Amino acid sequence: MANPEADGLTSLASVLEEGNHTLEIIKSEYDITRHLPWDVIVIPFPKERFSVEEMMSLQAHLRSGKSVLLLAEWGDLFGHVDYLNELTKPFGIEIQKDRVTDHQEHITQKVELGGVILGEEEIPHYVRVTNFANHPITSEIEELIYFSGCSLRVSEPAFSVAATSASSFGDIDLNSELDDDEVQGELTIAAASEMSGRLFVIGDSNIAANGYIEQGDNLIFMQQVINWLAFAI
């Protein structure tokens, strides 16, 4: 969260601090044999596999009644999906190896050359999300912008919090075309699970990042996700 660049989370961190949350940035390796002291652990797209000890520590953290926010990514970058699912599947959330694409519900981007606007470019993997569960997290949320994220498969005890439109599909080969082996329909992009503790998974780390969090209702959504994980709502 300390990274001030476009893919960092400093904007979200500042808003959370203004909302009386106390934040601690873990900048060096933490001794996981010790008790994890935080109420909510935010894991923004880990690029290295968790060790057995790290996985056990996170699972113990959740069993103790604490919370974890996991931000995943599209496809299977760095081979991350299988090892992240080792953490999430026992809670009913399975990260998919795809990129959510929607040729109808997406945003466009201005194309400029030398300061002259030449037109707008369609970006089908920058998806507009407007389907939400009736939940405190989604209160007053009308639209999220989902930037090249993956879909999630949900089973009990988890539940879908936000999903795409029926025209979207999970693009596995990343060619932006719907193929026979790809799933089309309302795809979950954010899911929650509560047993002893609370786990929230979003298939896109950019939704919370500095360069994207002001899009749509992304910022309010992320604030309410953190509040739910902190048992504040």
Side-chain angles (χ1 to χ4, degrees):
M1 298 184 78
N3 179 7
E5 302 299 327
D7 59 348
L9 304 180
T10 50
S11 295
L12 175 60
S14 296
V15 170
L16 293 175
E17 288 179 324
E18 291 171 3
N20 296 320
H21 290 282
T22 300
L23 274 63
E24 181 177 349
I25 311 299
I26 306 173
K27 296 182 178 180
S28 58
E29 187 172 338
Y30 185 81
D31 182 3
I32 57 172
T33 62
R34 298 160 51 194
H35 171 71
L36 300 179
W38 309 285
D39 293 329
V40 180
I41 296 177
V42 179
I43 306 176
F45 184 41
K47 299 176 179 63
E48 296 182 7
R49 189 182 189 93
F50 295 129
S51 67
V52 173
E53 293 78 13
E54 288 171 332
M55 185 68 72
M56 291 176 62
S57 183
L58 288 170
Q59 291 170 343
H61 180 78
L62 287 165
R63 288 196 301 270
S64 71
K66 302 297 182 63
S67 300
V68 170
L69 169 60
L70 176 61
L71 304 174
E73 266 301 341
W74 56 271
D76 193 19
L77 297 173
F78 305 101
H80 72 290
V81 171
D82 290 337
Y83 72 80
L84 293 182
N85 279 335
E86 292 176 15
L87 175 65
T88 64
K89 284 180 71 173
F91 289 83
I93 302 172
E94 184 176 355
I95 300 165
Q96 301 300 294
K97 298 178 181 180
D98 61 11
R99 181 173 67 183
V100 174
T101 301
D102 195 324
H103 286 288
Q104 295 183 27
E105 299 297 330
H106 61 267
I107 66 172
T108 59
Q109 193 172 56
K110 291 180 180 179
V111 178
E112 296 186 28
L113 179 63
V116 178
I117 298 176
L118 302 179
E120 292 193 344
E121 176 187 10
E122 304 278 338
I123 310 179
H125 49 272
Y126 282 12
V127 176
R128 297 183 184 276
V129 176
T130 56
N131 293 327
F132 304 106
N134 182 14
H135 192 274
I137 291 173
T138 60
S139 176
E140 300 183 8
I141 302 297
E142 296 183 359
E143 180 181 72
L144 301 177
I145 307 299
Y146 197 63
F147 298 93
S148 294
C150 69
S151 66
L152 308 172
R153 185 176 297 164
V154 178
S155 59
E156 292 185 355
F159 56 92
S160 176
V161 173
T164 58
S165 74
S167 57
S168 69
F169 62 94
D171 188 11
I172 297 173
D173 58 9
L174 309 181
N175 66 353
S176 295
E177 299 294 335
L178 177 61
D179 300 315
D180 291 340
D181 61 341
E182 296 172 343
V183 176
Q184 183 176 33
E186 296 181 2
L187 304 175
T188 295
I189 58 95
S193 183
E194 182 173 9
M195 290 193 281
S196 299
R198 289 178 171 180
L199 172 67
F200 200 91
V201 180
I202 306 174
D204 172 29
S205 61
N206 283 332
I207 197 171
N210 297 335
Y212 308 90
I213 198 167
E214 297 291 347
Q215 299 289 322
D217 294 320
N218 291 6
L219 177 57
I220 299 172
F221 180 73
M222 292 308 305
Q223 287 178 271
Q224 292 176 173
V225 167
I226 294 293
N227 286 337
W228 181 76
L229 290 170
F231 291 85
I233 59 174

